[in-house]
Amino acid sequence: MNEYLRIGLIVRPHGVGGDVKLQPLSDSVERFRSLDDAYIEKNGKYTPVKASNIRIRPDAVFVSLSVSKSVEDAERLRNTYLCVDRAHAVKLPEGRYFVCDLIGCEVYDTEGVHLGVLTDVYETGANDAYVIEGKRKLSVPALKKLLASVDVENKRIVLDSGVLEEVGLFED
């Protein structure tokens, strides 16, 4: 599992003091209210930073970062990710998973048929949808009745065969 979780994409500088505008990558922007310790992900490396002066808007989060004191500093952070380590991640309720933990899971049905590897998760409005790459590309909604078991530690997901027939969309 990834040690760091992306919580926001830095999209641009904000103001002249080095603040940045984030596109939140979290289900809840409220998680930013308690943000203090974070990391900048750039070229596969993680630099620790302190976050402060957090302002939450409906479409964005504005934040001051300890490594950014000027517009030029903030500009160098453009298109990088703000991350947290697992110790500072939001605690998920039972049955919820971080997308990065789902990606790469081997997917089977309850009859033991290997369907492929989960390669993408996207939001549809009603619920997330999983993309599974195998002999045939498969898209399925992330429904509780479909997910027979999810074991992110062992990278294995099992889908209920009967429900899969109803909701699975195979690409030809």
Side-chain angles (χ1 to χ4, degrees):
M1 287 201 254
N2 296 339
E3 181 181 346
Y4 300 97
L5 303 170
R6 293 175 173 173
I7 60 169
L9 174 65
I10 298 173
V11 294
R12 66 173 173 80
H14 180 73
V16 296
D19 289 1
V20 295
K21 177 182 179 182
L22 293 177
Q23 175 188 339
L25 301 177
S26 177
D27 285 347
S28 172
V29 293
E30 293 303 312
R31 71 106 39 244
F32 289 94
R33 291 203 189 280
S34 61
L35 183 64
D36 183 30
D37 296 311
Y39 298 84
I40 297 292
E41 176 190 344
K42 190 170 188 177
N43 301 324
K45 297 191 187 298
Y46 296 87
T47 304
V49 297
K50 291 286 189 184
S52 62
N53 193 24
I54 297 162
R55 286 101 54 215
I56 298 173
R57 303 292 180 267
D59 65 334
V61 174
F62 300 96
V63 62
S64 299
L65 298 172
S66 59
V67 295
S68 182
K69 302 297 182 200
S70 67
V71 174
E72 294 78 18
D73 290 343
E75 186 62 45
R76 283 190 285 277
L77 296 174
R78 184 187 293 264
N79 296 321
T80 61
Y81 290 99
L82 188 66
C83 304
V84 293
D85 58 17
R86 286 200 181 262
H88 294 94
V90 172
K91 304 303 178 226
L92 296 178
E94 183 73 28
R96 300 283 308 268
Y97 308 94
F98 293 113
V99 170
C100 65
D101 293 339
L102 294 169
I103 302 292
C105 284
E106 297 288 337
V107 182
Y108 296 84
D109 68 15
T110 49
E111 295 174 8
V113 175
H114 183 255
L115 300 170
V117 176
L118 194 146
T119 58
D120 197 9
V121 176
Y122 58 93
E123 295 179 33
T124 64
N127 49 265
D128 289 347
Y130 296 165
V131 176
I132 300 157
E133 300 278 348
K135 289 181 183 173
R136 294 170 63 194
K137 188 173 184 178
L138 170 64
S139 293
V140 298
L143 303 172
K144 286 183 182 181
K145 68 179 186 177
L146 175 63
L147 299 170
S149 69
V150 177
D151 182 355
V152 293
E153 287 184 16
N154 292 305
K155 302 301 272 182
R156 183 180 172 93
I157 298 173
V158 178
L159 305 179
D160 184 291
S161 299
V163 178
L164 180 60
E165 284 185 31
E166 296 174 30
V167 299
L169 177 62
F170 283 97
E171 191 175 286
D172 291 328

